[in-house]
Amino acid sequence: MVGRHPTAQLLAVGEGRYLIDCGEGTQLRLLEHRRRLSSLRVIFISHLHGDHYFGLFGLLSTLHLQGRQEPLTVVGPPGLELVLTTQAMHSQMQPGYTITFVPVDTEAHAVVYEDAQVRVWSLPMRHRIPCAGYLFEEQPRRDKLVKELLPTSLTPSELSQLAQGHDLPANEATGRPALAHAAVSVPAAPPRRYAFCSDTRYQPELAELVRGVDLLYHEATFLDDLRERAAITYHSTARQAATTARDADAHRLLIGHFSSRYKELAWHLKEAQAVFAWTELATEGLIVSV
């Protein structure tokens, strides 16, 4: 409906920018929110229903027209590569950058992508066609050096060694005694975790796969009075999404992918918060920090 756009989320972790789903008009939404298309590193597609990927070919074409040269990785279900290469062939679009396709086994919970910022796991969804969610785990960060605890006589090389977590032997030239990394640092914050659960029927077993996540996004297409309709169409209700968050001991829940039959969303929020208090609506343009 007007004012609600097809699914697309931009996840920022350090220097990494990861696009999750790419519904029609995604590139326009990114530009509206002043997000540079060139900063995208990886695109994750959950499944091949149009409201989750119809904007992808247009985005890839725009990146080509903008002169992108950096490689791009596209992760998604089997068939996605064929769809995009067929579109490229018939439109005679030959991108000036390398696109690497990573097919996902939508029945498996397995690592599908990893870089210096994140490790990403697939999450099996129960939908009408093969569909995967994604669990993003931040890579462990190094302990943080405390400036006030550092000797002033340290050389750049010694500072670099400490920053990498190494202990320093005694420096006879300066008379500095041995220095343990633990003595001048504080532990880094625990790695953050975000789970994106796309279109799916309610599945209690999902809670174990996303246990303890800092932020859980779960579809909530219907209110619970239509739970039978939700099951038939392989979707979930707001109450079911909240039940998954509660059973997973998630810290926070975002619900989205609302049916166009609902003009107002207050009842979705009320229904979910009755089960899991730390619930928010995933509305257009929302920025969430973890």
Side-chain angles (χ1 to χ4, degrees):
M1 62 178 295
V2 175
R4 296 186 201 161
H5 304 300
T7 303
Q9 296 183 5
L10 182 66
L11 178 67
V13 184
E15 298 301 316
R17 297 295 181 270
Y18 310 92
L19 183 63
I20 311 169
D21 275 348
C22 189
E24 189 174 358
T26 292
Q27 62 175 308
L28 298 179
R29 305 287 85 75
L30 290 170
L31 294 173
E32 284 176 0
H33 294 284
R34 300 185 179 181
R35 299 296 185 263
R36 292 186 297 111
L37 303 182
S38 61
S39 68
L40 293 176
R41 180 177 295 178
V42 190
I43 299 173
F44 296 86
I45 300 298
S46 62
H47 64 295
L48 298 185
H49 278 157
D51 55 329
H52 293 262
Y53 88 105
F54 273 180
L56 181 54
F57 185 72
L59 174 58
L60 298 179
S61 299
T62 296
L63 292 175
H64 165 65
L65 293 173
Q66 290 180 343
R68 182 186 179 103
Q69 296 182 342
E70 297 81 7
L72 181 71
T73 299
V74 178
V75 181
L80 178 59
E81 180 177 3
L82 177 61
V83 170
L84 294 176
T85 53
T86 300
Q87 288 179 301
M89 178 180 66
H90 288 287
S91 64
Q92 298 186 16
M93 194 278 282
Q94 297 180 340
Y97 58 96
T98 300
I99 301 175
T100 301
F101 292 94
V102 179
V104 174
D105 181 352
T106 59
E107 298 294 325
H109 176 53
V111 174
V112 295
Y113 176 80
E114 186 169 9
D115 62 22
Q117 305 293 336
V118 296
R119 178 185 293 116
V120 186
W121 297 73
S122 59
L123 297 169
M125 301 287 102
R126 296 174 62 193
H127 198 42
R128 298 194 303 275
I129 63 173
C131 183
Y134 296 102
L135 173 62
F136 295 81
E137 298 182 334
E138 186 178 29
Q139 298 284 17
R141 289 172 281 179
R142 293 194 181 104
D143 292 349
K144 183 178 180 180
L145 296 179
V146 180
K147 181 178 180 181
E148 292 74 18
L149 299 178
L150 296 173
T152 57
S153 59
L154 291 176
T155 66
S157 175
E158 290 173 329
L159 275 172
S160 176
Q161 291 182 60
L162 282 173
Q164 295 176 43
H166 302 303
D167 297 335
L168 297 181
N171 188 325
E172 296 181 359
T174 63
R176 179 188 52 73
L179 184 60
H181 173 265
V184 293
S185 65
V186 293
R192 295 166 291 180
R193 300 166 71 234
Y194 171 59
F196 173 87
C197 295
S198 185
D199 296 12
T200 184
R201 215 184 226 181
Y202 172 60
Q203 46 176 333
E205 61 273 21
L206 179 61
E208 191 58 39
L209 298 182
V210 300
R211 181 159 303 282
V213 290
D214 296 278
L215 181 63
L216 169 65
Y217 169 84
H218 196 293
E219 71 126 290
T221 303
F222 297 101
L223 291 173
D224 209 57
D225 63 334
L226 292 180
R227 57 186 173 277
E228 292 184 2
R229 175 69 178 166
I232 291 171
T233 59
Y234 286 81
H235 284 293
S236 299
T237 71
R239 182 179 299 277
Q240 290 170 339
T243 299
T244 298
R246 181 198 65 195
D247 293 348
D249 293 323
H251 295 185
R252 297 163 66 190
L253 170 66
L254 283 175
I255 54 174
H257 199 274
F258 309 111
S259 169
S260 60
R261 73 180 62 214
Y262 301 108
K263 309 309 177 187
E264 300 292 334
L265 300 175
W267 283 106
H268 283 76
L269 186 61
K270 182 176 181 179
E271 182 173 282
Q273 287 182 337
V275 177
F276 187 78
W278 299 276
T279 302
E280 300 172 64
L281 298 173
T283 52
E284 277 60 35
L286 178 69
I287 298 175
V288 180
S289 299
V290 176

